[in-house]
Amino acid sequence: MSGPRILAVSGSLRTGGFNRLLVDLAVKKARELGAQVDVLDLKAQDLPLYDADVEAAGLPPSVVDLRERVGNAQAFIISSPEYNSSIPGGLKNAIDWASRPPGRRFQGKWAAVMGASPGPFGTARMQPHLRQVMLAVGAMVLPTQLHLARAGEAFTPDGALKDEARQKDVEALVTELVDRVKV
């Protein structure tokens, strides 16, 4: 039996962004637990802005690929920064494209949500918005919250977390997700 299929995504488009580092740590743990993880790079995906006219004219290949990857996943790991106290536009756009009919690609699938920010709140204002959107598209969001504040000071040069307790928080969140999918 193969492990659960997880789609992992960072809401940050920036190369080397804190949320990409956080996703990398989560992916490593998920794979240690036997999960098959597909890492979605929103920057490389190059999705157009959602537009019903574009949709009506025929889906761009990047959208078709996104929908297939979301549809194939059994769960999601999402780590996102906070832009103006909310969800970054690129991440929201991807969710909008993936959630369009036909099909309910997020329906009944678990999502682990976390975020890193250089500020003192650690994405505490963004995460309720992301949770609301994920619930609206039919996902089930784990109740555990992980906010990494002052992310500029949180990582070692090789991308590990300096604080062992924060590392254990990431691992616990991912373990909870994998356990939920295995049930």
Side-chain angles (χ1 to χ4, degrees):
M1 179 175 133
S2 60
R5 295 179 313 277
I6 298 174
L7 182 65
V9 62
S10 167
S12 175
L13 302 179
R14 185 169 61 93
T15 302
F18 302 128
N19 286 281
R20 286 180 177 228
L21 295 174
L22 207 50
V23 162
D24 290 345
L25 295 173
V27 166
K28 179 180 177 189
K29 181 62 179 178
R31 287 181 175 152
E32 287 173 5
L33 294 170
Q36 301 171 46
V37 185
D38 177 11
V39 180
L40 176 67
D41 181 342
L42 288 178
K43 188 173 193 172
Q45 199 69 24
D46 196 27
L47 296 167
L49 291 175
Y50 174 74
D51 179 340
D53 292 336
V54 171
E55 186 176 34
L59 296 178
S62 61
V63 172
V64 171
D65 178 66
L66 172 70
R67 288 179 174 194
E68 286 176 5
R69 292 168 78 177
V70 169
N72 288 333
Q74 294 174 295
F76 308 96
I77 294 171
I78 304 171
S79 183
S80 181
E82 181 173 290
Y83 290 0
N84 297 315
S85 300
S86 193
I87 307 166
L91 177 58
K92 178 64 168 67
N93 186 54
I95 294 168
D96 290 344
W97 271 117
S99 66
R100 297 288 300 153
R104 305 257 311 153
R105 291 169 198 86
F106 293 100
Q107 186 67 40
K109 298 177 182 181
W110 285 102
V113 173
M114 58 186 167
S117 169
F121 301 114
T123 70
R125 297 172 294 190
M126 177 279 301
Q127 285 193 31
H129 296 185
L130 181 53
R131 288 171 175 279
Q132 178 183 6
V133 169
M134 292 304 292
L135 290 169
V137 297
M140 300 177 297
V141 182
L142 293 177
T144 305
Q145 297 187 32
L146 196 152
H147 309 279
L148 184 63
R150 294 181 176 78
E153 304 161 16
F155 293 94
T156 65
D158 65 346
L161 286 169
K162 292 178 183 176
D163 183 349
E164 189 175 325
R166 299 306 290 168
Q167 177 66 36
K168 288 184 182 203
D169 290 342
V170 172
E171 292 174 359
L173 179 65
V174 173
T175 300
E176 183 180 358
L177 178 69
V178 171
D179 288 347
R180 296 277 177 124
V181 178
K182 285 182 179 177
V183 172

